[in-house]
Amino acid sequence: ATDREGVAHTSCLPASMTRTTMACLRALFVLMVMKGTRAQKVDGIHVIQDSFVGCFWDDSHRDMKRYFGNFHSVEKCRKRALEERWKYFGLQYDGQCRAANTYGHKPRSAHGKRSASAGCDAQCSKNGNWREEKDKTAERQILHGTLWRNAIYRTQPTIWTIKKSKNMFANGSYVGCYKDDSNRQYDSYFDGKKTWKSVKSVDECGALAAKWDKPYFAMQV
């Protein structure tokens, strides 16, 4: 097991609600404050299963050659990949299951840069997808892929221990990555004066949201 660190960003934006936007040009990292997570306790230690690698481009020549079918399930796809000893598996277009021992061979140009990464992980999920919501996997991130984008996972489940100082991983839930612009998705006042504040950690931002009774908060660079 490996220690799971919280990621520090610069701006904390507690909010009372979100809008549903898929494109991730200027990213908000949105976490829930009040809801439970997929974190578990093993021998009194908080752990979390997070085998997600990232969202990567595909094309008609296929980045991951082995195709199993359309399962709409992370664990069903993982099972087939395990049976044939593939190192990685991926879900695309809401559940097409593929596997390979490597990935990331289909770069595309976007915003002046050429990369195999499809960018923000929200691009690998259909917002409000009921199949993803009903997926029973223990994975922290449940993504079934979208058009020409593979949501790639390690076939062997990856378990992380959560440091006691990183309580947000145990008590809060990552919701997703959403577009923002100068009009601001999160613009409610959380102290009567400000709509954002510079912080050093996820936990500090979460504490602000909880203090001002906001069910969601977001972090942005």
Side-chain angles (χ1 to χ4, degrees), residues 7-9 11 13 27-29 31 199 201-202 205 217-221:
V7 180
H9 300 268
S11 301
L13 300 92
L28 284 171
F29 291 88
L31 298 96
V199 297
S201 70
V202 173
C205 190
F217 71 91
M219 303 191 73
Q220 181 180 138
V221 175

Side-chain angles (χ1 to χ4, degrees), residues 132-152:
E132 289 179 352
E133 292 174 358
K134 290 183 178 297
D135 197 324
K136 300 300 184 182
T137 181
E139 290 290 339
R140 184 175 75 92
Q141 300 187 67
I142 305 174
L143 305 171
H144 286 182
T146 55
L147 184 63
W148 299 120
R149 292 179 175 94
N150 285 316
I152 296 177

Side-chain angles (χ1 to χ4, degrees), residues 43-148:
D43 295 329
I45 299 173
H46 278 104
V47 299
I48 197 162
Q49 181 173 317
D50 191 356
S51 313
F52 181 69
V53 176
C55 184
F56 289 83
W57 290 113
D58 198 10
D59 62 23
S60 59
H61 298 290
R62 297 303 178 188
D63 193 31
M64 308 183 91
K65 304 295 186 185
R66 183 68 171 100
Y67 178 60
F68 293 110
N70 202 331
F71 297 139
H72 309 295
S73 166
V74 171
E75 295 308 321
K76 286 181 180 179
C77 191
R78 168 175 275 135
K79 180 180 179 182
R80 296 301 297 274
L82 279 169
E83 289 171 352
E84 296 187 9
R85 299 184 179 182
W86 295 103
K87 189 173 181 180
Y88 303 99
F89 69 92
L91 294 165
Q92 183 180 143
Y93 201 54
D94 192 24
Q96 293 177 2
C97 174
R98 302 178 185 277
N101 289 324
T102 59
Y103 62 88
H105 306 290
K106 306 296 180 182
R108 290 192 185 184
S109 295
H111 307 296
K113 296 181 179 179
R114 189 166 173 82
S115 174
S117 172
C120 173
D121 296 340
Q123 301 283 12
C124 257
S125 173
K126 289 183 178 180
N127 201 23
N129 186 342
W130 65 271
R131 290 191 178 96
E132 289 179 352
E133 292 174 358
K134 290 183 178 297
D135 197 324
K136 300 300 184 182
T137 181
E139 290 290 339
R140 184 175 75 92
Q141 300 187 67
I142 305 174
L143 305 171
H144 286 182
T146 55
L147 184 63
W148 299 120

